[in-house]
Amino acid sequence: MPFLGQDWRSPGWSWIKTEDGWKRCESCNPELGRESSQCSLSHGVMLNSEDEEIFNNEECEYASKKRKKDHFRNDTNTQSFYREKWIYVHKESTKERHGYCTLGEAFNRLDFSSAIQDIRRFTYVVKLLQLIAKSQLTSLSGVAQKNYFNILDKIVQKVLCDHQNPRLIKNLLQDLSSTLCTLIRGVGKSVLVGNINIWICRLETVLNWQQQLQNLQMTKVNDGLTLSDLPLHTLSNILHRFSDGWDVVTLGQVTPTLYVLSEDRQLWKKLCQYHFAEKQFCRHLILSEKGHVEWKLMYFTLQKYYPTKEQYGDTLHFCRHCSILFWKDSGHPCTAADPDSCFTPVSPQHFIDLFKF
């Protein structure tokens, strides 16, 4: 007879009737603990070293689920996240819901594994992982930490395969390795979930990824048009589409022509005006010997003191009416009269702030 707990969705414990009254079924049967992964239950019969015991259908189902769960936990390559397009963000307990949604739970349930395959969401996910690596890594549950490194492994392998966005991943791995060194050496296992040896292995894996990215060689394509074949005004338009100054500097190292275009003062002036306010210009004004403003030096100087404006092709959105976090293209079952007015884009930092209580 199942017993319903305070949460009406939970079946609670299973009870059996005996001569002495009702007794609760033990959740961990010692006979099941000795069961190896090669054994299988069929037709409700399980063999042990002493004799045969016939289990009812409910006990067989329980044993099968427990064996699969143990195998799932022991498999380090298994990813424990769901593939949901939206989740409900609840911050307090109600009669229908107990507990609250944590950062690790949201990270597990939202479909970040598929998001990294979308070029519009790739930078967004990488930035989120970088922020988690800096300050929120120890707040994740064991399963969420496992998923974190599994997703990071997918990202690294993707970059090694298609050679796109290596600089973003190098910055992410640098922050992550610094955090892991601090946790392992300075803090120790008191704040870490799991064995300390697991974290040492993870640090070694991160260092190995850094070495692979350091040795990454871009393949040269000899067939077809190259950047050098494009007219100057087209190359200039390409440079003016960049929102990151480091991308401009990197592209300027390809050919002498691109270097000249990347040093254009108007290009760096627009970058400064896009990311920073005029009050910030006045505090860090840099002039040349001729009295001209050094916009390129100002950009990198201001970048040290102020955050740059974030720009992503696609982000998560939050519905203020339903308290639901979702990917915009998938939508969610909104009950508002005008759903579009309730949607708010969620930056990576805002995503983390949603789960600070």
Side-chain angles (χ1 to χ4, degrees):
M1 181 185 74
F3 173 75
L4 296 180
Q6 293 181 352
D7 188 347
W8 54 270
R9 298 171 302 169
S10 174
W13 294 96
S14 295
W15 297 76
I16 57 175
K17 188 175 183 180
T18 64
E19 296 179 355
D20 298 331
W22 287 93
K23 290 186 177 181
R24 192 179 68 189
C25 293
E26 294 295 334
S27 58
C28 298
N29 193 318
E31 295 295 331
L32 301 180
R34 294 194 294 266
E35 183 185 27
S36 63
S37 59
Q38 298 179 352
C39 296
S40 61
L41 288 175
S42 61
H43 306 294
V45 179
M46 183 180 73
L47 300 178
N48 56 23
S49 59
E50 299 178 357
D51 55 359
E52 289 187 356
E53 292 186 358
I54 300 178
F55 288 78
N56 56 36
N57 294 333
E58 183 178 356
E59 290 173 326
C60 291
E61 183 180 359
Y62 171 80
S64 178
K65 288 182 178 180
K66 183 179 185 301
R67 184 174 62 256
K68 291 180 180 179
K69 189 174 183 180
D70 291 340
H71 175 73
F72 178 79
R73 288 179 175 177
N74 294 330
D75 186 4
T76 56
N77 296 324
T78 304
Q79 300 182 20
S80 311
F81 41 68
Y82 304 89
R83 297 184 178 273
E84 299 183 15
K85 299 297 183 180
W86 57 270
I87 62 170
Y88 175 72
V89 181
H90 55 286
K91 296 186 177 182
E92 58 183 6
S93 298
T94 62
K95 293 182 179 180
E96 293 79 14
R97 292 179 179 269
H98 284 257
Y100 51 89
C101 186
T102 63
L103 176 63
E105 182 183 354
F107 188 79
N108 289 339
R109 294 174 58 188
L110 286 172
D111 192 7
F112 288 109
S113 180
S114 299
I116 62 176
Q117 305 301 329
D118 192 335
I119 191 173
R120 301 171 303 166
R121 301 174 181 174
F122 182 84
T123 307
Y124 181 84
V125 177
V126 171
K127 181 63 176 179
L128 177 60
L129 294 181
Q130 188 173 12
L131 292 177
I132 293 177
K134 288 182 178 180
S135 60
Q136 302 296 322
L137 191 59
T138 55
S139 66
L140 300 181
S141 64
V143 174
Q145 290 173 357
K146 180 179 175 182
N147 291 337
Y148 178 92
F149 284 95
N150 284 333
I151 293 177
L152 184 57
D153 181 34
K154 279 189 172 184
I155 292 176
V156 173
Q157 299 307 321
K158 183 178 184 298
V159 173
L160 293 175
C161 180
D162 58 21
H163 298 173
Q164 296 183 9
N165 300 305
R167 182 174 56 82
L168 294 177
I169 312 306
K170 289 180 180 179
N171 295 337
L172 166 58
L173 294 180
Q174 181 62 38
D175 292 337
L176 181 58
S177 62
S178 301
T179 301
L180 291 177
C181 289
T182 302
L183 293 175
I184 293 174
R185 297 176 183 176
V187 181
K189 61 182 180 180
S190 58
V191 297
L192 300 177
V193 178
N195 193 295
I196 188 68
N197 294 324
I198 296 177
W199 289 93
I200 295 176
C201 292
R202 287 172 176 173
L203 177 59
E204 293 176 351
T205 302
V206 172
L207 296 177
N208 184 36
W209 287 338
Q210 287 180 305
Q211 188 64 35
Q212 292 179 18
L213 291 174
Q214 192 68 26
N215 299 332
L216 181 63
Q217 297 292 333
M218 301 297 180
T219 56
K220 185 177 180 180
V221 180
N222 297 324
D223 299 333
L225 293 175
T226 63
L227 284 175
S228 302
D229 300 325
L230 298 176
L232 292 180
H233 70 275
T234 303
L235 295 175
S236 179
N237 288 334
I238 293 175
L239 287 170
H240 278 77
R241 295 295 186 274
F242 290 165
S243 61
D244 192 335
W246 286 109
D247 291 336
V248 177
V249 173
T250 302
L251 186 59
Q253 297 174 351
V254 177
T255 63
T257 302
L258 287 171
Y259 175 77
V260 174
L261 294 174
S262 66
E263 294 293 323
D264 183 21
R265 293 180 65 253
Q266 292 298 322
L267 171 63
W268 291 101
K269 180 179 180 180
K270 290 182 178 179
L271 280 175
C272 290
Q273 292 175 342
Y274 176 76
H275 289 286
F276 310 106
E278 294 185 4
K279 294 181 179 180
Q280 297 170 346
F281 296 162
C282 300
R283 297 176 183 176
H284 304 278
L285 189 62
I286 302 176
L287 301 176
S288 64
E289 296 180 354
K290 298 181 180 181
H292 300 298
V293 179
E294 295 286 351
W295 290 107
K296 182 178 179 179
L297 293 178
M298 280 190 58
Y299 173 83
F300 291 106
T301 302
L302 292 170
Q303 194 180 39
K304 297 178 181 179
Y305 296 97
Y306 309 103
T308 56
K309 186 181 297 184
E310 297 179 356
Q311 185 178 21
Y312 305 103
D314 189 17
T315 66
L316 286 168
H317 282 65
F318 183 73
C319 179
R320 298 185 301 271
H321 177 77
C322 305
S323 297
I324 286 180
L325 193 64
F326 63 98
W327 292 107
K328 189 175 181 180
D329 61 347
S330 61
H332 75 285
C334 186
T335 59
D338 186 11
D340 293 337
S341 63
C342 304
F343 296 168
T344 303
V346 178
S347 65
Q349 184 60 53
H350 185 200
F351 178 88
I352 294 177
D353 294 339
L354 280 175
F355 305 98
K356 289 183 177 179
F357 307 112

